[in-house]
Amino acid sequence: LARVSSSLESEASRQLASTQEELGRLEISMAETEAALQSKNTPIQRVEEWLARRAERPQSEAIRDGVEMAIDALSKALRESVVLLQSTLAAQASEAKRLASAAAALSADIADKQAAIDIDSTTRSIEHARSGSRQEWQYASKGPVVAPEWRGSTTSICGAARQVVAVSARLRGKAAQVVVECARTEAAAKKELLRVHALSINRLRATVAESQQQIAQLDDALAELGRIKASAEAAMAEKEDACAVTTDRLNTRNQRPDRERVHDQAQMALQNELRSLTSAAHELARQIQRCSDDEHRLASAKAKVEEDLAKKEAFLQIEEELISIDIPLGA
């Protein structure tokens, strides 16, 4: 019986060592899971900063673009990681309690077996009956547990502990997979965000450059119109002066005596000259008016381009500032 007790104690001790070792491994795994969970706080905060900064875009630019969708995708991945890691950590904590309970049961069984071995050793050393024990033998009863049940108790405790250890080992593997998979999903989402964000910046820079080029072209067109208009106004002034001179000449010739006031070639030449000058002056006036209309149209177009440019530059500034708001990933 002593040999059986010693054998069962050894089995329980080995299983206790295995259980305690697994508990240690599980605690390390729990620490890794907790670190992975805590590592999501800063990325989630940075994602919120991205969203808040982009909310300051000009109203005309505040559309749900690819960058915003990529930010939402990364935010979703991070929050799903939090849920998965929290549930994994809760399962690990529950399994740690089961391991601790199994270890406690093994320790108690080992203590009982050791006590039994000590008693058996003491029993073997008794060679003479104690005084008064001769009448007690007939009242002695057998122990509360028969041999097969006695052995089975330790075997059952060890078997239950082995099952808990096996479940814990599988859970550790699953927890490691969850951490890796969460990191992979988040990294892919961040990579996509950075890709579409870079495209957005390049698009805005191209748009800003194009708008600046349009403004330069409009400035050139306005300057050319100004030169044409100034030239027409100068010519208009010359024609008006010439008309005034011709009119004076005609008025002067009209002062001739009635007998001399004939429609001669000189008179016809002056009248033809006045008509020609008047026609040219009217044409110049129309040309000046067209230049004024074109100037107004171009100025209006330039104002719209400048307004749009200001919005694009404000949007570009926000997008470029986001580069400095890093979203760190990983435990």
Side-chain angles (χ1 to χ4, degrees), residues 29 37 57 61 63 65 68 99 111 115 125 145 148 155-156 165 215 236 238 256 274 277 290 306 316 320 328:
S29 177
L37 178 60
R57 291 173 291 172
E61 305 299 324
I63 59 174
D65 55 5
E68 187 167 335
L99 282 169
S125 67
V145 180
T155 302
S156 175
V165 168
I215 291 172
M236 178 75 170
E238 291 177 0
R256 291 175 297 170
L274 181 59
L277 290 170
R290 285 195 297 271
E306 287 176 334
L316 177 59
E320 289 177 335

Side-chain angles (χ1 to χ4, degrees), residues 52-85:
R53 189 69 183 94
R54 290 189 102 242
E56 298 173 6
R57 291 173 291 172
Q59 187 174 359
S60 61
E61 305 299 324
I63 59 174
R64 183 168 170 76
D65 55 5
V67 175
E68 187 167 335
M69 288 187 283
I71 295 174
D72 288 345
L74 177 55
S75 177
K76 179 182 178 182
L78 287 166
R79 296 183 188 284
E80 287 179 350
S81 294
V82 168
V83 172
L84 282 172
L85 291 168

